[in-house]
Amino acid sequence: MHFESLERISRSSPVRTARSAIACVSGLFTLIALAACGNGMDTQPLIPASIIISSPSGTTATAGTIQFAATVKDANGHTITVTPTWSVVNGGGTITQAGLFTAGDSVGTFENTVVATSGTVTSSSTVVVTAGGLASITVTPDTVTLGVGGTRQFVAVGKDAHGNVVDIPNRVWSVAHGGGAIDTAGLFTAGTTANTFANTVTATSGSISGTASLTVAPGPLASITVSPPSSTLAIGAQQHFTAVGYDDYDNVVPITPTWLVLGGGGTIDTSGVFTAGTVAGTFTNTVVARVGGACVGISGHATVVVQPGALATITVSPSDPSLMVGMTQQFTATGADAHGNAVEITPVWSVIGTGGGTIDAGTGLYTAGFAPGTYSNSVAAYVGANVGLTSVTIFPAPPPPPPPSFVPPSPGNINPPR
């Protein structure tokens, strides 16, 4: 632009042309000098030589933020207006191009992780990420099975919202739903009640808690109960017996007993089904459920009463008595079933046929008649359609003894008077 002006000036008057040319050349050299000297400020171009991050290190909790800033200087130490590029190179979080660092979920010291870059110049800063506040408590083991009176050490671990382990302030151990007791150090002692206690072991800090579940198993077998404890059965009838084992604290202990019949009365199979025999009676503690050997095992018992069957026979006693005319005889009758078991009866008594005698229908007291003879099956005891019979022989009364003979005394036998 300046050379074109000189050409236009040369076409005007000589004096004006000379003055204008001198002025233009002078201005041109002034511009060149100013450009070469950096406007009088510096002889070097504005090139970043160093970066100073305002914070050489920063600390924040997980998900927290740190605002970083950086100053860029040239080789002469002058601050220049340059915006660096921000990056995270060693983990710990993320950073925006405005220098706002946001911590991640992992805690730790991340050396020289925040980097500011301008051209070929970099600078770094270390970030320390700490855990957040307590957000959850985990109790381990989370489930456990103990015998009665057994012990187990529980441990509580606190974590922040991002799963980082943190201390548990003012931790309190407690038992929420039974099962035993726990001390201040987390040592649990099982109680005497066998059961499953869900979420009963509790570690608490403020409003935050963690739980564990517990199963208390019964103790060793101490006794066996057979049910029903007694049973009354007809001949050939069956009864299913069951056995339940208990420890010393009356907790149920699973058992598979051996079934036995030790006192008669019938038989029993391996599942506890008893079949009454043909002998009626009371068989005390005859059914046995046993766990272990005969000498050192544990047993439970049940009593069986076997009832007689239906009345099958009636026996009259005494059998075939002989009575003198007019005499009395007390008869009795006993009943029995088909297997010979006694059956209680209350018979009705009668005399069959004519003659022989009479009998009290209710008591069985017989009175012989005055017609001697043998009366076969004449005394009868009736119970329904069943009858018992016996014969009676009546004999005449003996003749009276003859009167004594008179023997006159001999003279020698007469005692003289005194």
Side-chain angles (χ1 to χ4, degrees):
M1 181 181 67
H2 297 295
F3 294 106
E4 292 175 353
S5 299
L6 289 175
E7 183 179 356
R8 286 195 298 269
I9 292 171
S10 64
R11 295 173 183 165
S12 60
S13 63
V15 176
R16 180 183 293 176
T17 300
R19 290 177 179 175
S20 298
I22 292 171
C24 290
V25 172
S26 176
L28 179 61
F29 279 104
T30 300
L31 290 173
I32 294 172
L34 288 174
C37 294
N39 199 22
M41 294 175 59
D42 204 337
T43 59
Q44 298 295 326
L46 301 179
I47 299 174
S50 65
I51 300 175
I52 300 173
I53 298 178
S54 59
S55 176
S57 65
T59 300
T60 184
T62 53
T65 61
I66 304 173
Q67 181 62 62
F68 285 97
T71 301
V72 181
K73 295 187 177 183
D74 62 13
N76 294 322
H78 298 134
T79 299
I80 59 178
T81 304
V82 175
T83 300
T85 300
W86 293 96
S87 62
V88 174
V89 297
N90 293 323
T94 60
I95 195 167
T96 68
Q97 290 309 304
L100 182 63
F101 176 86
T102 301
D105 296 339
S106 300
V107 299
T109 298
F110 300 90
E111 298 284 348
N112 301 319
T113 189
V114 173
V115 176
T117 302
S118 182
T120 61
V121 180
T122 62
S123 181
S124 63
S125 180
T126 296
V127 172
V128 178
V129 180
T130 61
L134 178 66
S136 66
I137 297 175
T138 300
V139 177
T140 55
D142 60 351
T143 58
V144 67
T145 298
L146 295 174
V148 170
T151 60
R152 186 61 180 267
Q153 180 67 55
F154 285 92
V155 176
V157 177
K159 293 183 180 181
D160 65 10
H162 302 284
N164 299 299
V165 176
V166 297
D167 290 334
I168 304 176
N170 303 317
R171 176 181 56 206
V172 176
W173 288 100
S174 63
V175 175
H177 307 298
I182 197 166
D183 66 14
T184 56
L187 181 63
F188 180 89
T189 302
T192 59
T193 301
N195 206 341
T196 295
F197 303 89
N199 302 321
T200 190
V201 176
T202 305
T204 304
S205 177
S207 61
I208 299 171
S209 62
T211 62
S213 296
L214 176 80
T215 297
V216 179
L221 179 66
S223 64
I224 297 175
T225 297
V226 176
S227 296
S230 64
S231 181
T232 299
L233 301 173
I235 290 173
Q238 292 185 325
Q239 173 68 57
H240 186 198
F241 288 95
T242 60
V244 179
Y246 296 92
D247 66 8
D248 285 328
Y249 303 98
D250 291 333
N251 298 301
V252 175
V253 179
I255 59 172
T256 303
T258 298
W259 291 97
L260 306 167
V261 173
L262 297 183
T267 59
I268 198 166
D269 65 14
T270 57
S271 65
V273 176
F274 178 90
T275 302
T278 59
V279 178
T282 297
F283 302 90
T284 303
N285 295 330
T286 188
V287 174
V288 179
R290 176 182 294 163
V291 174
C295 297
V296 296
I298 297 173
S299 299
H301 304 83
T303 296
V304 173
V305 177
V306 179
Q307 294 180 321
L311 179 65
T313 60
I314 298 174
T315 301
V316 177
S317 297
S319 175
D320 301 329
S322 295
L323 301 174
M324 189 173 63
V325 293
M327 290 184 63
T328 61
Q329 173 68 55
Q330 180 64 58
F331 284 101
T332 60
T334 57
D337 65 9
H339 302 284
N341 298 299
V343 179
E344 290 186 4
I345 59 173
T346 302
V348 175
W349 294 93
S350 67
V351 172
I352 300 175
T354 60
T358 61
I359 195 167
D360 187 294
T363 65
L365 181 62
Y366 178 87
T367 301
F370 293 93
T374 297
Y375 299 90
S376 298
N377 297 325
S378 60
V379 175
Y382 288 97
V383 175
N386 295 285
V387 60
L389 300 171
T390 189
S391 299
V392 176
T393 298
I394 300 175
F395 58 89
S405 299
F406 177 75
V407 178
S410 64
N413 293 332
I414 299 175
N415 294 325
R418 294 181 181 180

